[in-house]
Amino acid sequence: MGGVRRVTDRDFAERVLAARGPVLVEFTAEWCPPCRQLAPVLAELAVEQEGRLAVVALDVDANPETRNAYGVLSMPTLMVFRDGEPVRSLVGARAKSRLLRELDDLL
């Protein structure tokens, strides 16, 4: 069964950049209230879009290399990767319906 999986600096290249199909990465932090607000939305999305879109979360405090590599300054930042490249970046929490509209052309 799908769900939001954790990624780290160590496995980011393998699990995100080398993935087949699009991967939505949430750059998040424990101290971030909007990140906590977005968590159930991403959990639903991960299950509903399983097989079409992988959803992962990266803790920016524990994984500064990846955060710095992509210039992430605000949490939550959502970045969609395809074929090893970021193709969409969104900042801030949002409702599931809005997020689906913003990602529709990538699915």
Side-chain angles (χ1 to χ4, degrees), residues 7-69:
V7 293
T8 66
D9 285 343
R10 292 180 64 149
D11 64 5
F12 189 84
E14 174 189 341
R15 296 185 55 202
V16 175
L17 303 181
R20 298 179 71 192
V23 180
L24 173 65
V25 178
E26 178 197 21
F27 291 85
T28 186
E30 292 291 328
W31 48 263
C32 168
C35 299
R36 288 192 294 274
Q37 179 185 5
L38 187 59
V41 170
L42 294 179
E44 286 181 26
L45 188 71
V47 171
E48 292 171 8
Q49 298 297 321
E50 186 175 12
R52 295 179 66 200
L53 176 72
V55 181
V56 300
L58 180 119
D59 183 314
V60 297
D61 292 326
N63 300 283
E65 290 175 28
T66 305
R67 177 195 69 216
N68 291 337

